[in-house]
Amino acid sequence: MVKWTDKERSTIKAVWEKVNVDEVGPEALRRVLIVYPWTERYFGTFGDIATATAVMNNCKVAAHGKVVLNALGHAVRNLDNIKSTYAALSQLHCEKLQVDPDNFRLLADCITITVACKFRSALDPQIQATWQKFLSAVVDAMCSQYN
Ligand code: HNI
């Protein structure tokens, strides 16, 4: 289990309170699809996402980005049980969706970049370090049901 100091807990909560899920979710998922175009293969039911313009204008991508970011909120509220919080979600991504777990890290990086673009200097290196520790715990938990 990941250990958190009080300072880390308050930093993660403070960052999360400032994150606008409806903006960061869609923007982060769009980045994943544009920067790593092979991830398109998982979203066959989303319609046209063949070009960057199509990704930017696709409302299913935007809606799904919000779903993913909202799921991050469960981890913020369950810092001491991130693994069990994501056990079912990990299993779904492994068995049904068959998402290559390497992609979790790519998404986490895109979330950090999106947050950094919005926070600018407020995301100082120490806050970034804590935020990335948090996202690493999320990525580990999402990988937990893969054998
Ligand atoms: Ni992910 C569905 C959360 C990473 C592809 N994903 C979900 C759902 C949640 C979710 C919540 C909805 C589940 C349900 O309906 O029961 N996804 C997360 C989280 C992460 C993540 C928390 C990582 C931090 N998912 C990824 C990545 C990919 C991905 C990296 C592919 C590149 N996810 C999907 C696909 C679906 C999905 C595909 C189904 C979408 C649909 O609506 O058909």
Side-chain angles (χ1 to χ4, degrees):
M1 196 181 84
V2 187
K3 298 240 185 288
W4 307 101
T5 64
D6 289 345
K7 175 104 183 110
E8 286 171 336
R9 288 175 196 274
S10 61
T11 298
I12 293 162
K13 290 206 157 62
V15 171
W16 183 248
E17 272 165 23
K18 280 190 264 164
V19 164
N20 181 337
V21 167
D22 293 346
E23 282 180 18
V24 172
E27 286 176 31
L29 187 56
R30 287 180 193 130
R31 271 185 194 272
V32 171
L33 287 163
I34 293 168
V35 179
Y36 311 107
W38 60 87
T39 54
E40 184 194 314
R41 65 190 290 267
Y42 300 110
F43 300 97
T45 61
F46 278 29
D48 185 10
I49 46 172
T51 62
T53 309
V55 169
M56 296 304 285
N57 293 320
N58 186 299
C59 54
K60 287 192 175 169
V61 170
H64 189 61
K66 292 179 198 177
V67 170
V68 171
L69 246 266
N70 271 315
L72 216 58
H74 298 306
V76 174
R77 291 185 290 276
N78 293 282
L79 284 177
D80 295 317
N81 302 299
I82 295 184
K83 217 166 237 177
S84 53
T85 301
Y86 283 141
L89 210 47
S90 173
Q91 198 169 6
L92 178 81
H93 283 72
C94 174
E95 289 174 11
K96 184 161 173 235
L97 301 171
Q98 298 183 336
V99 171
D100 182 331
D102 286 350
N103 293 310
F104 298 140
R105 167 73 52 205
L106 302 181
L107 173 64
D109 287 349
C110 286
I111 291 171
T112 296
I113 290 165
T114 305
V115 168
C117 288
K118 296 200 178 291
F119 283 37
R120 296 178 174 270
S121 58
L123 194 80
D124 68 25
Q126 265 182 302
I127 294 176
Q128 183 188 343
T130 301
W131 179 248
Q132 289 197 198
K133 177 178 169 181
F134 166 68
L135 287 179
S136 291
V138 168
V139 169
D140 281 352
M142 286 297 289
C143 292
S144 72
Q145 301 300 308
Y146 287 71
N147 300 310

Short mmCIF file of all heavy atoms in Angstrom, two decimals, residues 16 21 64-78 82 85-86 89 93 111 134 138 142:
data_model
loop_
_atom_site.label_atom_id
_atom_site.label_comp_id
_atom_site.label_asym_id
_atom_site.label_seq_id
_atom_site.Cartn_x
_atom_site.Cartn_y
_atom_site.Cartn_z
N TRP A 16 -6.80 18.55 -6.61
CA TRP A 16 -8.06 18.00 -7.13
C TRP A 16 -9.20 19.03 -7.05
O TRP A 16 -10.01 19.14 -7.96
CB TRP A 16 -8.43 16.72 -6.38
CG TRP A 16 -9.67 16.08 -6.92
CD1 TRP A 16 -10.88 15.97 -6.31
CD2 TRP A 16 -9.83 15.50 -8.22
NE1 TRP A 16 -11.78 15.35 -7.14
CE2 TRP A 16 -11.16 15.05 -8.32
CE3 TRP A 16 -8.98 15.32 -9.31
CZ2 TRP A 16 -11.67 14.44 -9.46
CZ3 TRP A 16 -9.47 14.70 -10.45
CH2 TRP A 16 -10.80 14.26 -10.52
N VAL A 21 -13.09 18.97 -13.83
CA VAL A 21 -13.21 17.66 -14.47
C VAL A 21 -13.75 17.79 -15.91
O VAL A 21 -13.31 17.09 -16.82
CB VAL A 21 -14.15 16.77 -13.62
CG1 VAL A 21 -14.58 15.52 -14.37
CG2 VAL A 21 -13.47 16.40 -12.31
N HIS A 64 -16.37 10.84 -22.62
CA HIS A 64 -15.61 9.78 -21.96
C HIS A 64 -14.46 10.34 -21.13
O HIS A 64 -14.12 9.79 -20.08
CB HIS A 64 -15.10 8.76 -22.99
CG HIS A 64 -14.51 7.55 -22.35
ND1 HIS A 64 -15.26 6.72 -21.54
CD2 HIS A 64 -13.26 7.06 -22.32
CE1 HIS A 64 -14.48 5.76 -21.08
NE2 HIS A 64 -13.26 5.94 -21.54
N GLY A 65 -13.89 11.44 -21.59
CA GLY A 65 -12.83 12.08 -20.80
C GLY A 65 -13.35 12.48 -19.42
O GLY A 65 -12.65 12.32 -18.41
N LYS A 66 -14.58 12.95 -19.38
CA LYS A 66 -15.18 13.31 -18.08
C LYS A 66 -15.37 12.07 -17.21
O LYS A 66 -15.14 12.11 -16.00
CB LYS A 66 -16.54 14.01 -18.29
CG LYS A 66 -16.41 15.37 -18.93
CD LYS A 66 -17.79 16.00 -19.13
CE LYS A 66 -17.71 17.12 -20.15
NZ LYS A 66 -19.00 17.73 -20.44
N VAL A 67 -15.80 10.97 -17.82
CA VAL A 67 -16.00 9.72 -17.07
C VAL A 67 -14.68 9.27 -16.43
O VAL A 67 -14.62 8.92 -15.25
CB VAL A 67 -16.55 8.60 -18.01
CG1 VAL A 67 -16.53 7.23 -17.33
CG2 VAL A 67 -17.97 8.93 -18.47
N VAL A 68 -13.62 9.31 -17.23
CA VAL A 68 -12.31 8.86 -16.74
C VAL A 68 -11.84 9.77 -15.59
O VAL A 68 -11.39 9.29 -14.55
CB VAL A 68 -11.27 8.84 -17.89
CG1 VAL A 68 -9.87 8.58 -17.35
CG2 VAL A 68 -11.64 7.77 -18.91
N LEU A 69 -11.95 11.09 -15.80
CA LEU A 69 -11.49 12.01 -14.75
C LEU A 69 -12.32 11.88 -13.48
O LEU A 69 -11.79 11.93 -12.37
CB LEU A 69 -11.52 13.44 -15.28
CG LEU A 69 -10.17 14.13 -15.44
CD1 LEU A 69 -9.79 14.95 -14.23
CD2 LEU A 69 -9.05 13.13 -15.73
N ASN A 70 -13.62 11.68 -13.65
CA ASN A 70 -14.46 11.47 -12.46
C ASN A 70 -14.00 10.24 -11.69
O ASN A 70 -14.03 10.23 -10.45
CB ASN A 70 -15.93 11.34 -12.85
CG ASN A 70 -16.61 12.69 -12.88
OD1 ASN A 70 -16.41 13.50 -11.97
ND2 ASN A 70 -17.38 12.96 -13.91
N ALA A 71 -13.56 9.22 -12.42
CA ALA A 71 -13.06 8.01 -11.75
C ALA A 71 -11.81 8.32 -10.93
O ALA A 71 -11.55 7.67 -9.91
CB ALA A 71 -12.78 6.91 -12.78
N LEU A 72 -11.05 9.31 -11.37
CA LEU A 72 -9.86 9.72 -10.59
C LEU A 72 -10.28 10.27 -9.23
O LEU A 72 -9.56 10.11 -8.24
CB LEU A 72 -9.13 10.80 -11.38
CG LEU A 72 -7.61 10.82 -11.34
CD1 LEU A 72 -7.05 9.49 -11.83
CD2 LEU A 72 -7.08 11.96 -12.19
N GLY A 73 -11.43 10.89 -9.19
CA GLY A 73 -11.95 11.43 -7.93
C GLY A 73 -12.15 10.34 -6.89
O GLY A 73 -11.95 10.56 -5.69
N HIS A 74 -12.50 9.12 -7.33
CA HIS A 74 -12.66 8.01 -6.36
C HIS A 74 -11.34 7.73 -5.67
O HIS A 74 -11.31 7.39 -4.48
CB HIS A 74 -13.14 6.74 -7.08
CG HIS A 74 -14.48 6.88 -7.73
ND1 HIS A 74 -15.58 7.31 -7.07
CD2 HIS A 74 -14.87 6.66 -9.01
CE1 HIS A 74 -16.61 7.35 -7.91
NE2 HIS A 74 -16.20 6.97 -9.09
N ALA A 75 -10.24 7.83 -6.43
CA ALA A 75 -8.92 7.58 -5.83
C ALA A 75 -8.58 8.69 -4.84
O ALA A 75 -8.04 8.41 -3.76
CB ALA A 75 -7.86 7.48 -6.92
N VAL A 76 -8.90 9.94 -5.19
CA VAL A 76 -8.60 11.06 -4.28
C VAL A 76 -9.32 10.84 -2.94
O VAL A 76 -8.76 11.09 -1.88
CB VAL A 76 -9.04 12.40 -4.90
CG1 VAL A 76 -8.87 13.54 -3.91
CG2 VAL A 76 -8.25 12.69 -6.18
N ARG A 77 -10.53 10.32 -3.01
CA ARG A 77 -11.32 10.13 -1.80
C ARG A 77 -10.98 8.83 -1.07
O ARG A 77 -11.45 8.61 0.04
CB ARG A 77 -12.82 10.16 -2.14
CG ARG A 77 -13.31 11.56 -2.55
CD ARG A 77 -14.81 11.60 -2.77
NE ARG A 77 -15.21 10.87 -3.96
CZ ARG A 77 -15.19 11.39 -5.19
NH1 ARG A 77 -14.79 12.62 -5.39
NH2 ARG A 77 -15.57 10.67 -6.22
N ASN A 78 -10.18 7.98 -1.70
CA ASN A 78 -9.82 6.68 -1.09
C ASN A 78 -8.32 6.43 -1.18
O ASN A 78 -7.87 5.38 -1.63
CB ASN A 78 -10.57 5.54 -1.81
CG ASN A 78 -12.06 5.60 -1.58
OD1 ASN A 78 -12.55 5.22 -0.53
ND2 ASN A 78 -12.79 6.11 -2.56
N ILE A 82 -6.54 2.64 -2.87
CA ILE A 82 -6.65 2.89 -4.31
C ILE A 82 -6.76 1.57 -5.08
O ILE A 82 -7.54 1.44 -6.01
CB ILE A 82 -5.47 3.76 -4.81
CG1 ILE A 82 -5.55 5.15 -4.16
CG2 ILE A 82 -5.51 3.91 -6.33
CD1 ILE A 82 -4.51 6.13 -4.63
N THR A 85 -10.17 0.13 -4.73
CA THR A 85 -11.11 1.04 -5.39
C THR A 85 -11.17 0.77 -6.89
O THR A 85 -12.22 0.88 -7.51
CB THR A 85 -10.69 2.51 -5.13
OG1 THR A 85 -10.68 2.73 -3.72
CG2 THR A 85 -11.62 3.51 -5.80
N TYR A 86 -10.01 0.41 -7.47
CA TYR A 86 -9.94 0.22 -8.93
C TYR A 86 -9.92 -1.24 -9.36
O TYR A 86 -9.70 -1.52 -10.53
CB TYR A 86 -8.69 0.91 -9.47
CG TYR A 86 -8.83 2.42 -9.59
CD1 TYR A 86 -7.77 3.26 -9.29
CD2 TYR A 86 -10.02 2.99 -10.01
CE1 TYR A 86 -7.89 4.63 -9.39
CE2 TYR A 86 -10.14 4.36 -10.12
CZ TYR A 86 -9.09 5.18 -9.81
OH TYR A 86 -9.22 6.53 -9.92
N LEU A 89 -12.45 -1.97 -12.07
CA LEU A 89 -12.13 -1.19 -13.27
C LEU A 89 -10.91 -1.77 -13.98
O LEU A 89 -10.85 -1.85 -15.21
CB LEU A 89 -11.86 0.26 -12.84
CG LEU A 89 -12.18 1.39 -13.82
CD1 LEU A 89 -13.55 1.24 -14.44
CD2 LEU A 89 -12.05 2.73 -13.09
N HIS A 93 -10.81 -3.31 -17.81
CA HIS A 93 -9.86 -2.88 -18.85
C HIS A 93 -9.00 -4.04 -19.34
O HIS A 93 -8.61 -4.07 -20.50
CB HIS A 93 -8.97 -1.74 -18.33
CG HIS A 93 -9.69 -0.42 -18.31
ND1 HIS A 93 -10.68 -0.14 -17.39
CD2 HIS A 93 -9.60 0.67 -19.10
CE1 HIS A 93 -11.16 1.07 -17.63
NE2 HIS A 93 -10.53 1.59 -18.65
N ILE A 111 -2.72 13.69 -18.42
CA ILE A 111 -3.47 14.39 -17.37
C ILE A 111 -2.56 15.42 -16.70
O ILE A 111 -2.93 16.58 -16.50
CB ILE A 111 -4.05 13.38 -16.33
CG1 ILE A 111 -5.14 12.54 -16.97
CG2 ILE A 111 -4.59 14.13 -15.11
CD1 ILE A 111 -5.62 11.36 -16.12
N PHE A 134 0.73 10.36 -6.85
CA PHE A 134 -0.69 9.97 -6.82
C PHE A 134 -1.08 9.24 -8.12
O PHE A 134 -1.67 8.15 -8.08
CB PHE A 134 -1.56 11.21 -6.60
CG PHE A 134 -3.02 10.99 -6.87
CD1 PHE A 134 -3.77 10.17 -6.06
CD2 PHE A 134 -3.63 11.60 -7.97
CE1 PHE A 134 -5.13 9.94 -6.32
CE2 PHE A 134 -4.98 11.38 -8.23
CZ PHE A 134 -5.72 10.55 -7.41
N VAL A 138 -2.43 5.38 -9.02
CA VAL A 138 -3.61 5.07 -9.84
C VAL A 138 -3.23 4.10 -10.95
O VAL A 138 -3.92 3.09 -11.18
CB VAL A 138 -4.21 6.38 -10.43
CG1 VAL A 138 -5.25 6.07 -11.51
CG2 VAL A 138 -4.82 7.24 -9.33
N MET A 142 -4.63 0.40 -11.61
CA MET A 142 -5.28 0.02 -12.87
C MET A 142 -4.61 -1.21 -13.50
O MET A 142 -5.22 -1.93 -14.27
CB MET A 142 -5.27 1.20 -13.86
CG MET A 142 -6.25 2.31 -13.51
SD MET A 142 -7.98 1.78 -13.54
CE MET A 142 -8.26 1.55 -15.30
#
